Amino acid sequence: MIGRRLLLGGGAAALAGPLRAAMPARIVAVGGAVTECAFALGAGGHVIAVDSTSRFPAAARALPQIGYMRALAPEGLIALHPDLLLLSEEAGPPQAVAVLRAAGAPIRAIPEVPTGEGVAAKIRAVAAALDVDGAAVAEAVLADWRALDARVAALRPVRAIFVLSAARGAPVVSGGHTQAAAMLGACGAENAVTGFNGYRPLSAEAAARLAPEAVVIMDHVLAELGGVDALLGIPALAVTPVARSRRVLPIDGSYVLSFGPRAAQARRDLTRLLHPDATLPDLPARAWT
């Protein structure tokens, strides 16, 4: 067993405990939160490639990319000769993952549950795959998440929608069983969209009935649409209270929606956007944030 040491990866220091001799030397990480976990646990120096959703820390962005996590190319991954292929369970398509398994790729699938407890379980799963002790990181992240619970529970829920895109003039919004809906609920918001899971276009009639008070949207999507005026000019949003209040809240999707080691900080920051008058506790400085 190698003695306790500290591995730095893009400024993310490990609180992971001792690294063992079995630490994989060539790791490919697929999924932004999975990559963040690997760096937070001190394995950043062993990661040789990541997918396009892996945007943090900066050292991850500098690594070779293998494409989008839901459109994996098995041949390219196999050609990297990884000792460990850390895959978010949302990675795909399923046929590509099946090909990788059939080829004997050293896959460890990491669960994605968008809750504080789910984040802690994700960190522990990555730690187990890396053969390190991840208890300290998992417990710290969960403690930070729980520190916000009472204050958030006391807030009046804001009726909000999350807009993923606005193809052909209709906003595509999040229903149930999405990371966006889970984070809205964790931040003192009520997802105004109900009745379906996943993402669907929103009609003007449905938008008028839902009457959202706020729109949460990824900052790069808002920029691509042409800004707040262009977004609120879409017929489905022009008939909502947001068109008058202009409560459009841009976020960094890789930060707020990934449910990785920075999940508590993301929860706090989105809660402050949704509830600017809320008093929230400061969170401790963490090496991985």
Side-chain angles (χ1 to χ4, degrees):
M1 181 181 294
I2 300 175
R4 179 177 294 270
R5 58 178 173 165
L6 202 62
L7 282 178
L8 298 180
L15 284 183
L19 299 180
R20 297 176 174 84
M23 162 71 79
R26 296 178 59 81
I27 300 168
V28 175
V30 178
V34 170
T35 299
E36 286 195 40
C37 289
F39 275 79
L41 290 164
H46 295 250
V47 179
I48 62 167
V50 298
D51 74 305
S52 61
T53 70
S54 298
R55 306 298 300 159
F56 187 89
R61 294 197 300 274
L63 291 169
Q65 289 196 1
I66 52 86
Y68 180 48
M69 63 178 286
R70 298 182 191 272
L72 299 178
E75 296 83 1
L77 287 169
I78 292 170
L80 292 171
H81 303 293
D83 297 317
L84 175 64
L85 182 51
L86 283 173
L87 283 186
S88 162
E89 68 177 8
E90 295 182 343
Q95 300 92 327
V97 177
V99 170
L100 288 167
R101 292 189 184 280
I107 291 175
R108 290 293 291 268
I110 306 301
E112 296 280 358
V113 180
T115 63
E117 290 75 11
V119 174
K122 182 184 302 180
I123 293 167
R124 291 190 178 98
V126 173
L130 296 172
D131 199 19
V132 303
D133 179 3
V137 175
E139 290 166 8
V141 170
L142 185 55
D144 291 348
W145 181 276
R146 289 175 173 169
L148 300 168
D149 284 349
R151 298 286 180 87
V152 172
L155 298 172
R156 180 191 73 82
V158 174
R159 284 180 62 79
I161 60 174
F162 175 79
V163 174
L164 178 68
S165 63
R168 300 179 182 177
V172 176
V173 298
S174 65
H177 292 193
T178 62
Q179 290 172 315
M183 188 56 91
L184 286 176
C187 295
E190 173 190 354
N191 186 13
V193 179
T194 59
F196 66 87
N197 295 329
Y199 292 88
R200 292 185 188 177
L202 184 68
S203 68
E205 293 78 10
R209 183 175 68 254
L210 296 176
E213 301 173 84
V215 170
V216 178
I217 185 171
M218 288 185 284
D219 47 14
H220 73 89
V221 173
L222 182 62
E224 290 166 2
L225 291 173
V228 173
D229 288 339
L231 175 69
L232 297 180
I234 295 172
L237 297 178
V239 296
T240 68
V242 179
R244 297 185 295 276
S245 70
R246 300 177 64 82
R247 289 203 66 196
V248 176
L249 310 177
I251 62 167
D252 177 348
S254 65
Y255 171 51
V256 175
L257 303 180
S258 72
F259 284 87
R262 298 180 294 160
Q265 287 74 18
R267 181 189 187 193
R268 177 199 59 198
D269 292 348
L270 180 55
T271 301
R272 284 175 172 165
L273 287 176
L274 289 161
H275 302 272
D277 296 328
T279 301
L280 300 174
D282 292 329
L283 298 178
R286 301 295 187 189
W288 51 85
T289 62

